[in-house]
Amino acid sequence: MKTYNLTTFGCQMNEHDSERMKGMLDSLGYRETPSREQADLILFNTCSIRESADNRFIGHLGEAKRLKTEDPSRIVGVGGCWSQSMKERVFEQFPFVDVAFGPGQIPRLAEFLTSDSLSAQGYFEFESFPGHLPMKRAREFQAWVQVSVGCNCRCAYCIVPSTRGREVSRGAEDVIAEIERVAADGVREVTLLGQNVNSYGRDLPRGSKCTFAELLAMVDAVEGIDRIRYTSPHPKDMREDVVRAHAQLPSLCEHIHLPLQAGSSRILKAMKRTYDRGRYLDRVALIRELVPDCSLTTDIIVGFPGETEAEFAETLEVVEQVRYDSAFTFIFSPRRGTAAADYPDQLPHAVKRERMERLVEAVQRIAAERAQRFVGRTMEVLVEGPSRTDPARVRGRTRHNKAVNFVGSAAPGEFTHVEIESATSQTLAGSARVATPVG
Ligand code: 5AD
Ligand code: SF4
């Protein structure tokens, strides 16, 4: 039996693509091995969102090169966004790579791994929406479900539209059929995935059109699904029907990730985000009005080309005003082929670093303050396993997407109620509420 080792970098979309790659390899008769040295097939599913992602991956490639030299019958395959953005240059720069493919080619993995001559071959087309593919889920009670591939936005900093192609929605019936299948397998929580989930359905043919809010209602109706999450929405497409769905659909979690990127309207325009600060804050006000306890998280980039100190201060202002439950913060990183990489007024690294420090201070302080609202409350927790820091405790997640470490005994996949005793910016801590025996 042949063995494979797969390393995944990047976002949930990539994690999910890797689940499908593993499913296909299993069905081809390959067995997964945790050790690269013992693998006949060494695979990487790569990311290229920032330079740091490239560097992390290239470090691993060095080891693959050594292993390939030791045993040339090994196959080295590189898939994902880095691969797509490098296209055939992969083989010039890394001649020991046998096969390279982009995210659009994962459904054809089986085909090219079984082809006769596997040397220096690249596969970079964007196929139409992949049909039903085998899948090997990391956790049996949680599943990612792809609702669309690709992205029609042209954010000036972002490499994704070039690595994942134009947006294509998957038919609602197909999405629901998959969710019914995973629910029957014991999945309790689904995360709907798309680069811009709330533009979902616009490209579907007439007669089978479906909005994202309608899709959410259909998922909510699936028996056995207790929690629905999705990522990521784009503020420009965040409509009232989706916000309302958070208040109305019992399974839809009280958490919205609404990427801000920058607080200055001029920078947002330079980023080609197509909303301004006012419109973003309107969306936030709508969320606060309709779903008052909703947790709100975001992505922010500092040091975009030309960002002045005053414009950065506007980002800090929005952070203070919105009061996020948490935020992913990034230093702008010029990416090959993107518009912003060629903008003339790139900022010195020291300036970006210093802004990042101030931003992180504000984000963490506010997140810690916001988390205090959970102290004293009893929260529903979906158990994930033992705590990472203290094996005597159990770890799970609330509907608000807060990690909780608690004293108690519960198995992964179970729902339990936890009384929250303390909170930091990152995690909550508490004790499982002991159920009173009936009778
Ligand atoms: N530099 C820094 N951050 C970036 N992101 C996307 N492209 C870049 C870049 N070139 C961030 C955005 C996005 C998140 C996934 O990564 O904030 O929402
Ligand atoms: Fe995901 Fe973007 Fe990285 Fe591709 S480049 S893996 S879409 S984060």
Side-chain angles (χ1 to χ4, degrees), residues 9-14 46-49 81 159-160 163-164 195:
F9 302 86
C11 62
Q12 288 160 324
M13 196 70 85
N14 255 25
T46 61
C47 171
S48 210
I49 195 83
C81 291
I159 198 166
V160 176
T163 63
R164 290 193 179 260
Q195 298 301 335

Side-chain angles (χ1 to χ4, degrees), residues 40-82:
D40 301 308
L41 171 61
I42 299 175
L43 277 174
F44 296 94
N45 194 8
T46 61
C47 171
S48 210
I49 195 83
R50 285 170 290 276
E51 200 184 341
S52 53
D54 286 6
N55 296 342
R56 213 169 304 139
F57 157 64
I58 286 164
H60 287 258
L61 250 192
E63 193 198 338
K65 179 182 183 181
R66 178 176 63 77
L67 292 170
K68 174 85 185 176
T69 318
E70 278 170 25
D71 176 3
S73 73
R74 272 199 177 102
I75 303 289
V76 177
V78 184
C81 291
W82 175 87

